[in-house]
């Protein structure tokens, strides 16, 4: 059975959001069109930014992009400092949760990006 291989984040401005994610994750788009930009994540999986068709209603947010890091709490805290220093909006400061150290930032549209330890 085929497995999902693309995760789409709905944004207001695909180019603006692509700059945000490209800088945040230090990666370049693998596909670009006026309202749809994708990044290769490895293993055939992509993260896509979609501003939708002209006049299309944007869905409400119900998910997060998640970055799983090895290296423990120190590595997660380092990412937090680096991203905060870049001016990324931090919506939840680093703290320990049931799955370990975590924090959350927002992209320009308010979509959430959570950083967690590798399980």
């Amino acid at each position: 059975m085929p497995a999902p291989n693309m995760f789409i984040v709905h944004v207001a401005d695909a180019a603006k959001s692509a700059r945000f994610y490209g800088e945040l994750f230090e990666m370049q788009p693998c596909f670009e069109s006026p309202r749809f930009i994708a990044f290769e994540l490895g293993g055939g999986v992509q993260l896509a930014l979609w501003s939708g068709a002209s006049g299309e209603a944007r869905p409400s947010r119900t998910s997060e992009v998640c970055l799983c890091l090895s290296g423990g709490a120190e590595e997660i805290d380092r990412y937090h400092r680096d991203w905060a220093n870049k001016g990324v909006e931090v919506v939840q400061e680093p703290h320990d949760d049931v799955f370990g150290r975590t924090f959350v930032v927002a992209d320009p549209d308010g979509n959430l990006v959570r950083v967690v330890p590798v399980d």
Side-chain angles (χ1 to χ4, degrees):
M1 171 168 287
N5 59 4
M6 179 180 286
F7 299 91
I8 298 173
V9 175
H10 291 263
V11 298
D13 182 331
K16 179 180 178 180
S17 292
R19 285 189 299 277
F20 173 85
Y21 283 96
E23 290 174 11
L24 193 67
F25 296 130
E26 299 177 357
M27 58 186 181
Q28 297 295 316
C30 63
F31 178 85
E32 296 183 61
S33 69
R35 295 185 312 272
F36 183 89
I37 300 174
F39 294 90
E40 181 67 38
L41 300 178
V45 177
Q46 293 183 348
L47 170 67
L49 308 170
W50 168 238
S51 61
S54 298
E56 179 180 284
R58 292 188 37 231
S60 62
R61 286 181 286 284
T62 60
S63 62
E64 299 174 342
V65 171
C66 189
L67 175 64
C68 299
L69 297 174
S70 37
E74 299 80 20
E75 184 73 355
I76 289 169
D77 288 343
R78 185 181 69 77
Y79 267 77
H80 170 263
R81 283 190 306 276
D82 290 349
W83 289 2
N85 287 338
K86 289 181 178 181
V88 175
E89 178 188 358
V90 177
V91 297
Q92 190 176 65
E93 294 291 331
H95 65 282
D96 295 321
D97 212 319
V98 295
F99 44 78
R101 193 81 170 154
T102 187
F103 72 93
V104 180
V105 300
D107 77 4
D109 292 284
N111 294 303
L112 303 179
V113 178
R114 179 178 296 277
V115 178
V116 298
V118 172
D119 290 338

